[in-house]
Amino acid sequence: MISQNSLYLVPVPIGEKGETGTAIRSVISACPFFITEEIRTARRFIRSIDKEKNIDLCTFAEFNEHNCNKGTAEIEALFADFPVAVLMSEAGIPCVADPGWQVVRLAHKLNRRVIPLSGPSSVYMALMASGIQGQRFMFHGYIPVKREARLRYLRDMEQKIRTDMATQIFMETPYRNNALMEDLTNSCNPALMLSVSAGIESDLAFTATKSIGEWKKELPDLHKIPAVFVMGI
Amino acid sequence: MISQNSLYLVPVPIGEKGETGTAIRSVISACPFFITEEIRTARRFIRSIDKEKNIDLCTFAEFNEHNCNKGTAEIEALFADFPVAVLMSEAGIPCVADPGWQVVRLAHKLNRRVIPLSGPSSVYMALMASGIQGQRFMFHGYIPVKREARLRYLRDMEQKIRTDMATQIFMETPYRNNALMEDLTNSCNPALMLSVSAGIESDLAFTATKSIGEWKKELPDLHKIPAVFVMGI
């Protein structure tokens, strides 16, 4: 059932309403080696999928923004011991807006079969729900924090909407979402469309799409709510 | 269970190994109105999900690249009759690389709740499996067909890899995949990394990532196999 000499890329539900399909369940049940952003939450997710699995017999490697600069040497050594591995993000799909792609690069170098499984991504769920064109788009991840750099970045995205004819997708750390909405509505062209998807896969999930001029009249409260922003024409 | 005054965005499996979760199944079973790229395949998909559903009592509207220029007037009229609607693509998620986003825009205008459900997207599955960075990326959809425009387009993507530090993702009509591989290996910097994901969610699915110089030594046969290309450093 499970493919040997392989790396499975496993999406994790984003909110409490997320579900996990049978392909992912069987991989998680069978796999002894997990590369994760955070071991504690990965163990909890595996437990929720398979109550019978002896997690204490599994091997875990943490790979995240804090230790990825040390490279993938530890994981390369562990690959030698484990013909099957799972790569998981904290939530959503691995390798988008996280450093997991370096583990995938290593797997290709070692001639492992890389097997992506489908699941939720806040980025594509926000894009599909935005009502803004998805034929051409650019994803930026987290945009700069410092004021000058951020305003320059917003101007650059506005320009890309015109010159590349590409929808722009970006995020902010949730406790700075309200400040980002203020910057967007104060500095971007009021005719641009801005879509906000917040609380994806949770009971409070919503997507609202308005012109920036409309948003400026009444700002939403997004404080500490994970959100993805989609901007275009 | 199903939310009234809403538009559900429903992903469709890409290959024969794809599966559909319970949230999508219950929406499909309950919904009487489907907006689809092609009615015939949509009916087949609905039948595969719910053998009991009386599909002849359902209403279908086709919305695709051939008729989207006529606008969304027909769909706006049908929305008045149906408080719940499903928007589906031919395969994968709606609104990415298809005109479905115009239906979503209409739903926002009419103050419908837009509810994205998660499922497979060949674009993000190719990106996560590529081993090329996914912190910043640009999706281009289908790139130009004519030789001059195409070569210019490839040069422009190469430049975006450097200036935007963004991974580039693109597609081609499957019967032109081999010609695209020739153009890529003949005209792009051999040091760039190129990932090819073909046959996603099928038994023949594979992702291979090599430098363009490596690819040039042995071109894959991708003729008529749906594929997504990911290029970066």
Side-chain angles (χ1 to χ4, degrees), chain A residues 216-228:
Chain A
K216 199 175 162 81
K217 291 181 197 164
E218 188 179 355
L219 289 175
D221 184 7
L222 300 172
H223 189 57
K224 292 194 177 172
I225 305 171
V228 178

Side-chain angles (χ1 to χ4, degrees), chain B residues 29-79:
Chain B
S29 289
C31 185
F33 175 37
F34 296 87
I35 304 156
T36 73
E37 273 192 285
E38 200 198 271
I39 291 174
R40 193 176 49 87
T41 53
R43 290 176 70 105
R44 197 188 307 146
F45 173 62
I46 296 165
R47 171 66 59 240
S48 76
I49 294 295
D50 184 351
K51 295 193 179 12
E52 308 299 316
K53 190 176 178 85
N54 191 335
I55 296 179
D56 293 332
L57 292 183
C58 293
T59 299
F60 289 87
E62 234 168 31
F63 192 80
N64 54 40
E65 56 180 311
H66 304 296
N67 73 356
C68 67
N69 290 335
K70 282 188 283 176
T72 50
E74 181 204 358
I75 288 164
E76 184 160 1
L78 285 164
F79 269 164

Side-chain angles (χ1 to χ4, degrees), chain A residues 105, chain B residues 132 158 161-162 184-185 187-195 209-216 231-233:
Chain A
R105 175 76 63 100
Chain B
I132 299 175
E158 274 196 76
I161 291 172
R162 288 193 307 273
L184 283 164
T185 50
S187 71
C188 293
N189 185 333
L192 284 177
M193 298 299 288
L194 175 68
S195 181
T209 301
K210 305 177 197 177
S211 72
I212 289 199
E214 281 298 313
W215 277 117
K216 197 175 164 79
M231 190 162 71
I233 53 170

Side-chain angles (χ1 to χ4, degrees), chain A residues 9 19 21-23 93-99 101 104-105 108 113-114 116-120 124-125 127-141 153 160 164 166 193 201 205 207 209 233, chain B residues 9 19 21-23 93-99 101 104-105 108 113-114 116-120 124-125 127-141 153 160 164 166 193 201 205 207 209 233:
Chain A
L9 310 179
E19 55 180 293
T22 57
I93 67 171
C95 307
V96 170
D98 80 41
W101 65 273
V104 178
R105 175 76 63 100
H108 283 299
R113 189 169 168 216
V114 173
L117 297 174
S118 84
Y124 85 73
M125 290 171 84
L127 176 61
M128 67 201 265
S130 69
I132 300 175
Q133 68 86 7
Q135 263 107 337
R136 277 167 70 89
F137 61 86
M138 182 163 174
F139 173 69
H140 295 266
Y153 204 94
K160 281 182 162 53
D164 294 344
M193 297 300 288
E201 289 204 323
T207 298
T209 300
I233 54 173
Chain B
L9 310 179
E19 55 180 295
T22 55
I93 66 173
C95 307
V96 171
D98 81 40
W101 64 274
V104 178
R105 175 76 63 101
H108 283 299
R113 189 170 167 214
V114 174
L117 297 174
S118 83
Y124 84 74
M125 290 171 85
L127 176 61
M128 68 201 266
S130 69
I132 299 175
Q133 68 87 8
Q135 263 106 340
R136 277 166 71 89
F137 61 87
M138 182 164 173
F139 173 70
H140 296 266
Y153 204 94
K160 282 182 162 53
D164 293 345
M193 298 299 288
E201 287 203 324
T207 298
T209 301
I233 53 170

Side-chain angles (χ1 to χ4, degrees), chain A residues 42-144:
Chain A
R43 290 175 70 104
R44 197 188 306 146
F45 173 61
I46 296 166
R47 172 64 60 239
S48 77
I49 294 294
D50 183 352
K51 294 192 176 16
E52 307 298 316
K53 192 178 177 82
N54 190 335
I55 296 178
D56 294 332
L57 293 182
C58 293
T59 299
F60 289 87
E62 234 167 34
F63 192 80
N64 54 39
E65 56 179 311
H66 304 298
N67 72 356
C68 67
N69 289 334
K70 282 189 282 176
T72 51
E74 182 204 358
I75 287 164
E76 183 160 1
L78 286 164
F79 268 163
D81 293 333
F82 293 102
V84 180
V86 158
L87 176 67
M88 297 193 298
S89 183
E90 187 69 8
I93 67 171
C95 307
V96 170
D98 80 41
W101 65 273
Q102 297 176 46
V103 174
V104 178
R105 175 76 63 100
L106 172 67
H108 283 299
K109 195 186 87 177
L110 299 173
N111 285 314
R112 290 224 162 192
R113 189 169 168 216
V114 173
I115 303 172
L117 297 174
S118 84
S121 152
S122 58
V123 175
Y124 85 73
M125 290 171 84
L127 176 61
M128 67 201 265
S130 69
I132 300 175
Q133 68 86 7
Q135 263 107 337
R136 277 167 70 89
F137 61 86
M138 182 163 174
F139 173 69
H140 295 266
Y142 296 91
I143 69 170

